[in-house]
Amino acid sequence: MATDYSNLIDGEMVTNDKWMDVVNPANEEVIGRVPACGKDELDRAVAAARRAFKTWSKTPIDERRAVIQQVAGVIKENADELYRLLTSEQGKPHQQAQQEIIGASMMASAQSTLSLDDEINEDSDTRLSRTRRVPVGVVGGIVPWNFPVMMAMQKIAPAMLSGCTIVLKPSPFTPLATLRIAELIKDVVPAGVVNIITGEDSLGPMITEHEDIDKITFTGSTATGKKIMEGASKDLKRITLELGGNDASIVMPDADVEKVAEQLFWSSFSNAGQICIAAKRVYIHEDIYDDLSAAIAEYAKGVTVGDGSQQGTGVGPIQNKKQYERVLELIQDAKDNGYQFLLGGDADPSGTGYFVPLTILDNPPEDARIVAEEQFGPVMPLMKFSSEEEVISRANNSEYGLAGAVWSKDVDKGVEIAEQLETGTVWVNEFLHLSPFAPFGGHKQSGFGAEYGKEGLTEFTYPQVITVKRDAVI
Ligand code: NAD
């Protein structure tokens, strides 16, 4: 039976008379209804955030820190309920949903330990000049459907720590766990500091263009990111954009085939490939190409695609119908062009649930759509390379620049290659690791600004320089 969920505005759980359905992607059943908000509800949420900003921005940072830690604690305490709800709306297997919920709690808690200390620019006989960080004001947060809880907390925690207040909009596809968290934290967070409202995509531009919002922090597609930059330009709102990626993984000839096969598999197929930083292009040195591609395909055969709530499922469905159809279209394009498949390529769109069989392509050309575009699905193109220079140039031949990985027993060589990749993050011999203390952001069309770390936190602030003339004659 579908459950009704409420929004959090000014410390109260509220609904309106318009609703949107939320569907379980594993069986296409409606599992919940959430309010479909428009400008009126947004205005109320922004007004509440503005009122709360007066007090919250003056609340000592240690007190703000303590509230974030309480929020993180509430999420952790309710992890069992939340991860099941997350699986039912997002599709990811229980274990991965649990990792997201616990991870969101841990990342928020860790981020709350960051500080915004003043910096001294000049301390001389004649002058004391220091830079302090002041919160920008009311933040609009806009979140996608692949990691709904992690992305929400990634925005809420630093906004709160900086002294900002926030109006957050989850994706219309995955608002349920976030709204349940809203209900759980409403008595922990002062009224108006965090507001969570749901609506169709059309609510997004209203947030971007709202005259009383000072900053937008957005995670989603590059296409939407560009619209946000345009909308925010009208009153020069501050923006942070975390956008798409087409990350390359480079496997050097000295890599251990068996060990790397499993890790490469999960770097592409975790969350059914719906990760901005998933390995979406895998370049394998020709000396080990045949062995490694066979080992990856063999490993994949042991992984079950299915309903994420069922024990033993390794890869769940695609989260929504539109994305499902897009992934099928890319696979069909690969078939039409005669590219070779090591596995998969035979989805059945007539079945129930948005399931795509694990699909591995055998050395498709660089300009194949399935290589050149962000697939965002359980699809892994393996490509052969012969020289370092060639693979670096192929990896960098993308409008995206989010992340990448190098796999080699020779760590110095791995780092040497990593430093030549045009991306915001590069892993050597690991994948998908993000630190709350390191800036995460895309180069090129993968983003603007950063989240996490000191850099991420300062994006919620303006610098203010206070200069005192010490030898003034007045
Ligand atoms: P999307 O851009 O379609 O939607 C993201 C959010 O923006 C949703 O809440 C949506 O309702 C809202 N939105 C839609 N149109 C809008 C508009 N015109 N103005 C303002 N908001 C609008 O993205 P998606 O399909 O939900 O997510 C998938 C994309 O997100 C992929 O490209 C993926 O790579 C990217 N992503 C990036 C990161 C990162 O950190 N770089 C993380 C996760 C996902």
Side-chain angles (χ1 to χ4, degrees):
M1 209 191 75
T3 310
D4 289 348
Y5 290 77
S6 306
N7 283 182
L8 175 60
I9 299 180
D10 206 8
E12 302 288 333
M13 297 310 292
V14 294
T15 57
N16 61 15
D17 53 3
K18 290 197 209 92
W19 295 90
M20 309 186 302
D21 287 343
V22 179
V23 168
N24 180 336
N27 56 25
E28 299 179 51
E29 282 170 14
V30 175
I31 50 168
R33 289 199 316 167
V34 301
C37 294
K39 185 75 167 61
D40 286 352
E41 293 85 354
L42 175 62
D43 283 347
R44 271 198 284 133
V46 173
R50 178 62 61 194
R51 279 192 302 277
F53 180 70
K54 283 200 186 89
T55 316
W56 185 250
S57 57
K58 305 266 178 318
T59 302
I61 192 165
D62 283 342
E63 283 179 36
R64 300 199 296 252
R65 230 189 281 287
V67 177
I68 298 167
Q69 279 162 10
Q70 274 179 283
V71 167
V74 168
I75 294 173
K76 196 172 163 196
E77 279 156 29
N78 292 277
D80 280 359
E81 176 197 345
L82 290 169
Y83 84 72
R84 286 169 202 280
L85 184 57
L86 179 59
T87 291
S88 68
E89 64 175 333
Q90 205 283 335
K92 64 185 68 186
H94 272 164
Q95 193 202 5
Q96 291 173 35
Q98 199 173 20
Q99 282 167 359
E100 177 172 346
I101 300 293
I102 297 291
S105 164
M106 280 169 51
M107 290 295 251
S109 180
Q111 274 182 291
S112 78
T113 65
L114 291 165
S115 30
L116 284 168
D117 298 333
D118 290 2
E119 280 175 26
I120 302 298
N121 310 307
E122 182 182 338
D123 185 359
S124 66
D125 292 344
T126 53
R127 186 174 293 109
L128 175 63
S129 164
R130 74 185 158 93
T131 304
R132 62 193 287 263
R133 288 275 159 190
V134 295
V136 292
V138 175
V139 173
I142 304 178
V143 172
W145 45 259
N146 60 341
F147 282 88
V149 173
M150 180 66 91
M151 303 289 154
M153 290 315 299
Q154 195 161 313
K155 302 190 182 320
I156 290 172
M160 287 176 72
L161 185 64
S162 67
C164 291
T165 55
I166 186 165
V167 176
L168 184 105
K169 185 192 91 62
S171 165
F173 295 114
T174 52
L176 302 185
T178 312
L179 290 181
R180 180 68 185 119
I181 289 173
E183 203 177 348
L184 291 165
I185 65 171
K186 104 177 150 45
D187 298 326
V188 169
V189 179
V193 170
V194 175
N195 305 272
I196 302 183
I197 59 170
T198 44
E200 304 285 358
D201 283 352
S202 54
L203 182 60
M206 293 180 207
I207 296 177
T208 310
E209 294 183 18
H210 198 285
E211 62 284 354
D212 207 22
I213 289 181
D214 304 289
K215 174 190 168 70
I216 302 292
T217 171
F218 169 79
T219 301
S221 62
T222 294
T224 308
K226 288 178 185 175
K227 289 184 196 157
I228 288 182
M229 190 177 234
E230 197 181 336
S233 74
K234 300 204 169 82
D235 55 0
L236 287 185
K237 281 186 180 61
R238 274 30 188 181
I239 51 172
T240 302
L241 306 175
E242 293 293 355
L243 308 177
N246 195 6
D247 295 0
S249 248
I250 297 173
V251 192
M252 300 304 285
D254 63 351
D256 182 310
V257 166
E258 289 306 322
K259 286 184 187 150
V260 170
E262 181 176 345
Q263 300 196 63
L264 277 174
F265 174 88
W266 289 112
S267 71
S268 283
F269 291 106
S270 293
N271 204 31
Q274 304 162 113
I275 311 185
C276 53
I277 48 176
K280 295 178 184 130
R281 299 177 288 153
V282 178
Y283 294 98
I284 303 173
H285 191 273
E286 58 188 0
D287 287 358
I288 57 166
Y289 182 87
D290 290 345
D291 288 349
L292 182 53
S293 55
I296 296 171
E298 198 50 38
Y299 183 85
K301 284 179 197 153
V303 177
T304 307
V305 177
D307 183 332
S309 67
Q310 300 300 310
Q311 217 175 0
T313 296
V315 174
I318 295 287
Q319 199 283 321
N320 61 75
K321 191 155 193 248
K322 191 168 151 228
Q323 182 62 20
Y324 175 62
E325 286 168 352
R326 180 178 147 69
V327 174
L328 293 189
E329 183 192 313
L330 287 178
I331 293 173
Q332 190 57 47
D333 178 79
K335 282 164 105 172
D336 293 346
N337 280 285
Y339 307 144
Q340 297 301 304
F341 289 76
L342 285 168
L343 200 69
D346 48 2
D348 171 17
S350 65
T352 304
Y354 308 135
F355 296 104
V356 175
L358 304 179
T359 296
I360 302 178
L361 282 105
D362 183 11
N363 207 23
E366 201 65 23
D367 62 354
R369 281 188 63 199
I370 211 152
V371 177
E373 297 180 22
E374 181 185 34
Q375 316 104 8
F376 226 59
V379 172
M380 185 189 205
L382 305 178
M383 277 91 65
K384 211 180 275 191
F385 76 90
S386 46
S387 79
E388 266 173 55
E389 198 187 1
E390 170 213 338
V391 78
I392 291 165
S393 142
R394 288 169 72 184
N396 286 338
N397 181 24
S398 171
E399 68 195 21
Y400 293 114
L402 195 56
V406 186
W407 300 86
S408 173
K409 284 203 182 90
D410 180 347
V411 171
D412 292 341
K413 172 57 70 186
V415 171
E416 187 188 318
I417 294 173
E419 288 179 352
Q420 295 176 73
L421 297 184
E422 297 164 354
T423 63
T425 298
V426 192
W427 298 284
V428 177
N429 297 334
E430 69 168 345
F431 62 100
L432 301 182
H433 170 76
L434 296 183
S435 160
F437 307 117
F440 170 62
H443 293 190
K444 302 196 270 188
Q445 294 192 35
S446 283
F448 194 87
E451 290 189 301
Y452 289 134
K454 184 122 193 254
E455 275 97 332
L457 182 60
T458 53
E459 294 209 7
F460 290 86
T461 66
Y462 292 125
Q464 184 186 44
V465 177
I466 305 286
T467 302
V468 177
K469 186 86 166 93
R470 279 183 167 147
D471 58 352
V473 180
I474 53 164

